[in-house]
């Protein structure tokens, strides 16, 4: 296990902000992972496992150990109607999607080009273009950080929801995901339920055509983190009660909503932010993306405070105009643990 001290996290997260951590290690086996968590000198230090860092913001220097997930490997087993993949958690998600297409395995094409590791995918139940991880996940295996044993949770035990799972609640900070099982039907059934895909039914007749179409939309809509630092959608799309949605819709007839299974209605946070006139709004080096208001970018030299001030300003603006509370999708970490916008700004207000 290679240990590095006082390392900048700039190249270990897609926001590309220059924030240091005290120790950084890459674990490429479960033994190394266990060693990082059991090392006597580090026992009392905070620890944080990181995949590709595409959904995190470091709000302060991290005074602990950052463990980079380097667990690699995958295997394929077939049953009568399905292909079953067992994938180690450090594998690259977009790489896996592309690999499956090359192997004539389909079902992941709607989830093309979502940055991150395979093991991070269940945490927020990644989703795009009408498909969520829950639709193809068979199981998730994790290392229990108390007992250092491996447990397999079947998909229905993972409590998947919109950008949500058991790993953000009961199992938060208690486990490291080490592998994911995916179950993909052998018979291809395109999922063209998402708005723009429906209109292209005639063109989208193979997994490859869906994959390419989705890659094109994503490249045209979302900034490439290799060029411009960002963490994808900064906020989740809010889910309102039907009553609340109808009240807003009466005032803003152009507002659209998507009905959820639990009776709530999901609305587009990007639309709300855009209608507050905030596209292109900038604080220091943090900028609301001029084409996609839900994405905050590091326009160069952004500090954590620039991003936090911008995010807070957006949250307050949307609340004042629409009475809707935005919740950030991006995970925040301070010097030792996870935090959030409300905690940070309510602390500041008390000073
Ligand atoms: P990280 O950012 O490294 O980690 C995220 C969180 O998971 C952290 O709290 C970390 O501690 C924890 N974690 C990481 N690995 C493990 C593990 N093995 N065990 C336990 N905890 C762990 N998301 C979508 O859902 N849909 C999209 O369409 C989408 N588009 C995006 C586009 C762009 C340009 C970007 C930058 C991001 C996008 N995202 C999207 C968000 C991001 O891709 C996902 O959240 C992804 O799953 C994060 O993976 P990661 O490996 O980078 O996780
Ligand atoms: N919109 C605006 N102005 C904007 C941005 C969006 O009016 O500046 C409107 C669009 O016109 C559209 C609606 O908002 O009517 C939704 O926009 P879009 O289709 O671009 O999707 P999104 O809600 O911004 C969500 C996910 C993405 C995912 C896409 C495709 C969340 C928080 N975000 O984005 O996931 O890729 O749908 O399924 O659910 C991520 O989680 O990081 C992410 C990128």
């Amino acid at each position: 296990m290679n240990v590095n001290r006082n390392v900048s996290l700039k190249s270990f997260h897609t926001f590309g902000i220059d924030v240091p951590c005290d120790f950084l290690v890459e674990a490429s086996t479960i033994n190394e992972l266990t060693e990082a968590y059991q090392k006597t000198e580090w026992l009392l230090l905070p620890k944080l496992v990181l995949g590709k860092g595409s959904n995190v913001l470091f709000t302060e220097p991290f005074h602990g150990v950052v463990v980079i997930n380097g667990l690699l490997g995958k295997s394929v087993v077939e049953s009568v109607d399905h292909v079953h993949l067992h994938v180690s958690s450090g594998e690259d998600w977009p790489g896996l999607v592309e690999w499956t297409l090359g192997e004539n395995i389909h079902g992941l094409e709607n989830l093309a080009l979502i940055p991150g590791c395979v093991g991070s995918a269940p945490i927020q139940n990644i989703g795009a273009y009408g498909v969520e991880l829950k639709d193809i996940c068979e199981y998730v295996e994790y290392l229990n950080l108390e007992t250092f044993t491996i447990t397999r949770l079947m998909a229905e035990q993972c409590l998947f929801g919109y950008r949500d799972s058991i790993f953000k609640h009961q199992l938060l900070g208690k486990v490291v995901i080490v592998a994911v099982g995916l179950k993909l039907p052998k018979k291809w059934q395109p999922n063209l339920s998402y708005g723009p895909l429906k209109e292209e039914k005639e063109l989208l007749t193979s997994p490859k055509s869906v994959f390419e179409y989705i890659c094109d939309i994503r490249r045209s809509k979302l900034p490439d983190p290799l060029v411009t630092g960002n963490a994808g959608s900064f906020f989740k799309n809010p889910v309102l009660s039907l009553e609340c949605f109808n009240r807003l819709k009466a005032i803003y007839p152009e507002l659209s909503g998507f009905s959820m299974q639990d009776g709530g209605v999901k609305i587009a946070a990007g639309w709300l932010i855009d209608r507050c006139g905030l596209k292109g709004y900038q604080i220091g080096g943090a900028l609301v993306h001029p084409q996609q208001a839900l994405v905050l970018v590091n326009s160069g030299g952004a500090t954590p405070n620039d991003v936090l001030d911008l995010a807070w300003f957006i949250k307050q603006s949307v609340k004042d105009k629409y009475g809707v509370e935005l919740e950030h999708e991006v995970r925040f970490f301070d010097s030792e643990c996870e935090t959030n916008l409300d905690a940070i700004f309510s602390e500041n207000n008390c000073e």
Side-chain angles (χ1 to χ4, degrees):
M1 195 175 57
N2 194 10
V3 178
N4 295 286
R5 284 163 189 267
N6 199 19
V7 181
S8 169
L9 290 166
K10 192 172 175 175
S11 57
F12 293 96
H13 72 299
T14 61
F15 250 121
I17 296 176
D18 194 6
V19 182
C21 68
D22 289 358
F23 297 95
L24 184 128
V25 292
E26 178 169 337
S28 27
T29 61
I30 292 177
N31 278 346
E32 285 186 354
L33 201 53
T34 305
E35 200 186 326
Y37 277 84
Q38 289 186 331
K39 197 173 159 74
T40 324
E41 304 95 275
W42 293 350
L43 272 188
L44 297 177
L45 291 183
K47 293 177 195 74
L48 170 65
V49 62
L50 214 54
K52 305 286 180 188
S54 62
N55 208 29
V56 293
L57 176 72
F58 294 99
T59 66
E60 292 175 41
F62 187 73
H63 292 310
V65 186
V66 171
V67 182
I68 305 288
N69 181 355
L71 302 178
L72 299 180
K74 50 185 177 292
S75 56
V76 184
V77 174
E78 289 191 34
S79 60
V80 180
D81 296 323
H82 291 89
V83 175
H84 304 260
L85 303 180
H86 178 92
V87 191
S88 296
S89 61
E91 289 282 344
D92 182 56
W93 178 268
L96 177 75
V97 175
E98 236 182 309
W99 176 82
T100 55
L101 284 168
E103 296 293 309
N104 221 5
I105 300 171
H106 38 252
L108 298 183
E109 52 283 351
N110 292 53
L111 299 175
L113 234 52
I114 299 180
C117 284
V118 168
S120 316
I123 295 170
Q124 70 162 15
N125 179 28
I126 57 166
Y129 298 96
V131 175
E132 289 183 327
L133 184 88
K134 73 169 170 50
D135 302 323
I136 34 111
C137 178
E138 188 168 22
Y139 58 83
V140 176
E141 286 183 356
Y142 64 75
L143 177 72
N144 180 318
L145 295 176
E146 246 172 43
T147 58
F148 292 95
T149 51
I150 304 285
T151 300
R152 177 178 286 195
L153 276 190
M154 299 314 288
E156 53 281 11
Q157 298 174 290
C158 294
L159 310 180
F160 289 126
Y162 165 64
R163 297 294 188 269
D164 205 17
S165 74
I166 194 168
F167 304 103
K168 288 173 100 173
H169 302 281
Q170 291 95 316
L171 296 181
L172 178 67
K174 295 182 177 153
V175 305
V176 174
I177 294 173
V178 295
V180 176
L182 301 172
K183 183 178 172 189
L184 303 167
K186 283 184 176 170
K187 185 169 181 294
W188 186 58
Q189 284 236 297
N191 184 331
L192 306 180
S193 58
Y194 195 84
L197 301 185
K198 256 184 225 155
E199 290 146 35
E200 304 293 341
K201 224 173 175 170
E202 272 79 57
L203 277 179
L204 303 176
T205 52
S206 67
K208 188 117 195 291
S209 61
V210 174
F211 170 79
E212 278 165 3
Y213 185 76
I214 283 172
C215 288
D216 285 348
I217 309 187
R218 293 185 67 96
R219 287 198 180 102
S220 70
K221 277 195 171 183
L222 294 164
D224 177 355
L226 290 175
V227 180
T228 312
N230 75 89
S233 300
F234 195 89
F235 295 98
K236 291 189 229 173
N237 285 327
V239 179
L240 309 182
S241 66
L242 183 59
E243 191 194 356
C244 204
F245 172 74
N246 286 336
R247 231 183 296 135
L248 264 190
K249 179 95 180 159
I251 308 171
Y252 304 99
E254 66 282 25
L255 177 72
S256 348
F258 175 82
S259 296
M260 306 287 279
Q261 267 175 357
D262 64 2
V265 183
K266 186 160 77 179
I267 62 171
W271 187 92
L272 299 173
I273 300 167
D274 193 352
R275 296 307 181 282
C276 286
L278 292 176
K279 262 184 184 162
Y281 188 82
Q282 183 155 9
I283 296 184
L287 170 78
V288 180
H289 192 264
Q291 276 86 48
Q292 168 44 292
L294 195 49
V295 178
L296 307 192
V297 303
N298 174 0
S299 68
T303 63
N305 280 342
D306 294 341
V307 181
L308 291 172
D309 288 345
L310 183 61
W312 186 247
F313 182 75
I314 292 169
K315 191 171 152 79
Q316 296 308 311
S317 304
V318 167
K319 193 175 173 186
D320 291 349
K321 189 168 163 79
Y322 300 101
V324 172
E325 279 284 354
L326 291 183
E327 201 185 314
H328 48 95
E329 173 185 310
V330 174
R331 312 283 297 271
F332 291 9
F333 295 93
D334 65 18
S335 60
E336 52 186 34
C337 61
E338 184 151 16
T339 182
N340 60 63
L341 262 186
D342 288 337
I344 291 168
F345 283 86
S346 59
E347 263 171 33
N348 288 352
N349 289 342
C350 293
E351 278 170 8

